[in-house]
Amino acid sequence: GGLDLEHFPGSMSDAPNAIETTQAVLSQSEFHGTLDKYVSSSIIDQSEAQLIRSYLSVQDTEGRVELLQTTGVSQTLLKFLSLHDPGTVKYVLALVDQALLIRPAIGSQFAHPKVFLNILNTHNLTSDNFIFWKASRVLSFLFGTLLGDNENVDELRQFLTILSNTSGQQEVYLFSLKGLLRKQWIRTLFKSLNGIDRLKALLSEKDLAVQTQYQIIFCVWLLSFDKENVRELVELIPRIVFIGRQTQKEKVLRISVAALRNLTVEPKNVEKMVESKLNKQLEIWNNRKWGDEDIKSDLEFLIVKTNHAIEEMSSYERYRSEVMSGELEWSPVHFSETFWRENVSRLGDDNFHLIRVLSELLSNPESKTLTKAVACYDIGEFVRLHPAGRKVVTDLGTKKIIMGLLYETGTDSEVQKQALLCTRKMMVSNWEMLGNSK
């Protein structure tokens, strides 16, 4: 079950909205006049000019493509693409794009990545999006679909570097990656160029457009087919779960669930999913009606995986995962005296990491009131039972945060009640220590 790579042919469509269409560029050009200029300055000869004129005189685009296959037109077009005149390059890129849309196999006549890389290196990409978009589109098509594995590695490395370093061209970058990362050897090269870190940074940005969310998670899905990437993608799980929870678009949810399914091959990732409260969300999604069988099969698979992981977790691991999720509730573990007595010493692990996380939840304005109330209770139990509890909460500044909650006028009454209880435990622990020393 689930999505596989065959679902997505290397589409040449999907253009960013703000860019002129190929049709618009072809209708505006004064290319015929430019041909005469190129002949008189010996850039091309008369026979090449005649060949291009007869090509352009064919109004039917299917007919044009036939001509491309039988004559030397493509060689002359490649010659134009290596010129520095942006108007010419733009027009010829539009012709190439038009041909590829009708018959992708014609791309083998343009399988010269150096020519298109040269365009990216010599033209001001920020001033003309069309040139950047079309040259990138042809390159991602050549590398991702037409050229064999491990061909033109240096050129591909250059292309990936240009893509990631050109500011303001995020859409083109992501669209190109969608075509490129379908190949395993390209995914390996992408990873070696710190591409995964770049995607992590992009996905962590707030207020991403739906299409951008979709494209980034699509790239994550492609990367998740390689075992060696799966561990590195663990940090993205909370964000993918969050986007899936918020989205109204089925295609975003579909690709999110497919990516999460692939990521389950690493047990640590499943723990991260439980930590992100994915299991609760899966139940909600599973009760919805889906038109897409893939989503259903992926959801069922994830439900089995996360439930199994929860069953395998000890009560401490479950507690830890609840704290790390950033959302606490009154689950039975909080009230279990046995749990606290058996595990209070483990709260000292990793330099009291969980106590630090609880403190952050208390001071974070985004935290829910229920989370704050439960965090106060847990810190109180830690202070009551850990020999160094009082000193730790004082040193970490947790005590100060709890006192603040106690006296802030806007504090929710349940949070205030738990903060008061916690404060009492901080005071009482002194007496217990005195009592125990007698």
Side-chain angles (χ1 to χ4, degrees):
L3 287 170
D4 63 56
L5 287 169
E6 295 313 306
H7 268 260
F8 294 91
S11 159
M12 289 291 290
S13 57
D14 245 13
N17 300 333
I19 293 176
E20 290 170 274
T21 63
T22 290
Q23 236 27 62
V25 170
L26 292 178
S27 63
Q28 293 158 9
S29 174
E30 291 100 42
F31 191 66
H32 289 276
T34 314
L35 281 174
D36 296 331
K37 197 174 72 182
Y38 287 148
V39 172
S40 61
S41 53
S42 305
I43 289 168
I44 55 169
D45 58 33
Q46 277 295 356
S47 63
E48 287 173 311
Q50 197 41 53
L51 198 58
I52 295 295
R53 281 202 176 92
S54 53
Y55 178 71
L56 296 177
S57 68
V58 178
Q59 292 306 306
D60 166 43
T61 45
E62 292 280 355
R64 277 190 182 178
V65 174
E66 288 305 320
L67 258 182
L68 253 185
Q69 283 191 311
T70 53
T71 62
V73 172
S74 57
Q75 289 314 107
T76 310
L77 292 179
L78 283 165
K79 197 184 235 184
F80 285 136
L81 288 174
S82 48
L83 299 173
H84 282 249
D85 175 2
T88 298
V89 169
K90 191 170 177 174
Y91 184 75
V92 174
L93 275 173
L95 289 174
V96 172
D97 189 64
Q98 183 187 57
L100 283 175
L101 274 168
I102 289 164
R103 195 168 306 167
I106 208 95
S108 56
Q109 303 214 22
F110 297 101
H112 300 280
K114 276 197 171 77
V115 172
F116 296 95
L117 265 176
N118 215 21
I119 291 171
L120 295 182
N121 282 319
T122 51
H123 291 271
N124 180 351
L125 304 177
T126 44
S127 71
D128 200 323
N129 282 341
F130 184 90
I131 289 179
F132 184 68
W133 167 238
K134 296 298 178 188
S136 297
R137 215 155 84 126
V138 173
L139 280 165
S140 60
F141 182 64
L142 293 181
F143 288 120
T145 307
L146 282 182
L147 295 169
D149 287 1
N150 298 300
E151 273 188 57
N152 305 85
V153 179
D154 287 343
E155 283 90 347
L156 175 59
R157 187 179 283 113
Q158 278 182 56
F159 179 42
L160 285 169
T161 306
I162 291 168
L163 278 176
S164 63
N165 292 342
T166 307
S167 61
Q169 295 289 1
Q170 192 169 290
E171 279 183 281
V172 178
Y173 173 68
L174 292 170
F175 175 85
S176 302
L177 287 183
K178 266 181 70 184
L180 294 169
L181 295 176
R182 291 149 46 80
K183 288 197 168 178
Q184 200 267 326
W185 75 275
I186 299 182
R187 297 197 288 269
T188 306
L189 180 64
F190 177 73
K191 184 185 174 187
S192 74
L193 296 170
N194 299 325
I196 292 180
D197 290 338
R198 176 88 203 278
L199 285 180
K200 284 178 187 171
L202 283 177
L203 195 62
S204 67
E205 287 176 16
K206 283 206 166 81
D207 305 323
L208 289 172
V210 170
Q211 183 61 11
T212 308
Q213 289 177 346
Y214 173 72
Q215 288 183 314
I216 299 171
I217 298 172
F218 192 103
C219 293
V220 172
W221 173 65
L222 291 172
L223 289 161
S224 70
F225 280 88
D226 302 334
K227 191 91 194 280
E228 65 270 20
N229 295 336
V230 164
R231 207 166 272 178
E232 257 194 72
L233 296 166
V234 63
E235 295 159 49
L236 293 175
I237 290 170
R239 187 73 181 138
I240 293 173
V241 173
F242 175 80
I243 287 170
R245 194 180 285 148
Q246 302 288 320
T247 191
Q248 302 298 311
K249 292 281 183 205
E250 188 166 314
K251 73 171 189 174
V252 175
L253 184 60
R254 178 182 185 229
I255 202 69
S256 300
V257 168
L260 291 168
R261 179 184 180 142
N262 279 2
L263 292 172
T264 59
V265 297
E266 171 61 49
K268 280 261 184 296
N269 290 358
V270 185
E271 284 177 26
K272 188 59 124 180
M273 290 173 197
V274 172
E275 208 172 274
S276 306
K277 298 259 168 91
L278 176 64
N279 46 313
K280 295 198 166 179
Q281 195 55 44
L282 288 169
E283 299 296 345
I284 296 167
W285 287 332
N286 208 33
N287 289 328
R288 270 166 54 186
K289 291 268 181 285
W290 299 106
D292 187 324
E293 283 301 318
D294 288 328
I295 288 192
K296 286 184 203 164
S297 99
D298 285 343
L299 287 174
E300 282 159 16
F301 178 89
L302 285 166
I303 286 169
V304 171
K305 274 285 190 190
T306 52
N307 284 345
H308 181 69
I310 290 166
E311 282 161 24
E312 293 287 295
M313 287 167 127
S314 68
S315 58
Y316 180 74
E317 285 167 330
R318 257 178 262 169
Y319 174 72
R320 188 185 178 284
S321 113
E322 191 185 344
V323 174
M324 295 306 293
S325 78
E327 279 188 30
L328 305 176
E329 51 197 63
W330 292 120
S331 50
V333 72
H334 300 280
F335 299 121
S336 162
E337 183 71 16
T338 314
F339 168 77
W340 287 109
R341 290 202 179 275
E342 284 176 0
N343 293 294
V344 73
S345 61
R346 296 180 69 176
L347 292 172
D349 291 356
D350 197 10
N351 197 12
F352 297 96
H353 180 65
L354 286 188
I355 302 299
R356 291 169 190 272
V357 175
L358 287 169
S359 302
E360 281 165 23
L361 292 176
L362 286 174
S363 56
N364 184 351
E366 306 278 300
S367 295
K368 293 180 177 170
T369 52
L370 179 58
T371 295
K372 289 188 176 182
V374 179
C376 284
Y377 181 83
D378 288 1
I379 287 164
E381 290 297 83
F382 166 70
V383 168
R384 180 169 74 86
L385 293 165
H386 195 289
R390 189 165 181 274
K391 181 176 181 343
V392 170
V393 296
T394 307
D395 293 350
L396 291 178
T398 315
K399 182 180 173 183
K400 206 171 177 181
I401 296 167
I402 289 170
M403 299 302 248
L405 289 171
L406 199 51
Y407 295 113
E408 263 171 36
T409 48
T411 306
D412 171 84
S413 61
E414 179 60 19
V415 175
Q416 224 156 17
K417 178 180 148 190
Q418 293 303 333
L420 181 60
L421 190 62
C422 179
T423 309
R424 281 189 190 147
K425 287 175 188 172
M426 288 184 207
M427 313 296 251
V428 169
S429 66
N430 274 358
W431 298 106
E432 279 187 0
M433 282 165 75
L434 288 171
N436 291 342
S437 64
K438 281 179 183 164

